[in-house]
Amino acid sequence: MNGTIVSNATSLNQVRYHGGPSIGADAPAVKLTFINPPSKTDGDDAKAERLTVDARVGETLLQVAHRNHIEVEGACEGVCACSTCHVILSEDLYDKLADEWDQEASEDEEDMLDMAFGLTGTSRLGCQVTITKEMEGEEIQLPGATRNFYVDGHVP
């Protein structure tokens, strides 16, 4: 292949990078609120913990959670190969992602979601949802638990 350049540009666009896109600290940001349900050990009167954070446009929900020390695991480092970054969206946000913002769940994501704990009709993987400026003020519900098959020892 002396001096020959072989290009396969279409396959390069399909690469999923570990950790998601690299977004600078100076990127525009929106406010998102993560809602963490109370654990069973917190007692019956415990309320959900709410944390409002700055989410940089272009980041994934998983990146936002990690940067803000929110307990979202992301065992596969954001490559859609597990369900440990499972989040629950409002119906409105879920529909807008698919219908208006070209962020419909892929078949790979749906396959991973089938293994998620507490799956709902508006569940998504945090590593597959990219922050847009239109997401200002949205709330992201975290499930009560996650399933990490590698750590838990379960074979699906």
Side-chain angles (χ1 to χ4, degrees):
M1 295 194 56
N2 247 354
T4 305
I5 298 174
V6 177
S7 175
N8 188 356
T10 57
S11 67
L12 293 177
N13 292 333
Q14 303 300 316
V15 174
R16 294 185 182 165
Y17 296 98
H18 283 273
S22 178
I23 305 299
D26 59 343
V30 297
K31 297 281 187 199
L32 292 182
T33 300
F34 285 84
I35 304 170
N36 198 11
S39 71
K40 292 183 181 189
T41 60
D42 291 338
D44 293 336
D45 295 332
K47 294 185 179 179
E49 177 187 5
R50 301 171 65 85
L51 181 62
T52 300
V53 300
D54 287 326
R56 298 176 187 150
V57 173
E59 284 183 311
T60 65
L61 284 173
L62 177 61
Q63 289 175 303
V64 174
H66 283 178
R67 191 170 46 75
N68 288 283
H69 310 288
I70 296 170
E71 291 188 36
V72 177
E73 187 174 350
C76 73
E77 298 182 29
V79 295
C80 196
C82 73
S83 64
T84 62
C85 66
H86 169 221
V87 296
I88 302 164
L89 308 177
S90 68
E91 279 190 48
D92 186 52
L93 177 56
Y94 184 87
D95 291 342
K96 283 180 181 176
L97 283 169
D99 299 337
E100 297 176 27
W101 303 333
D102 197 30
Q103 291 194 55
E104 187 171 8
S106 68
E107 189 173 330
D108 287 344
E109 180 180 357
E110 289 176 354
D111 288 346
M112 288 296 112
L113 281 168
D114 286 341
M115 296 183 280
F117 177 87
L119 185 65
T120 73
T122 60
S123 290
R124 291 291 305 267
L125 296 180
C127 68
Q128 298 302 298
V129 176
T130 302
I131 305 303
T132 67
K133 64 182 183 207
E134 294 84 9
M135 292 174 74
E136 176 70 44
E138 292 289 348
E139 294 184 344
I140 311 302
Q141 176 75 45
L142 301 179
T146 62
R147 286 190 181 126
N148 184 333
F149 294 122
Y150 181 74
V151 172
D152 297 340
H154 174 77
V155 178

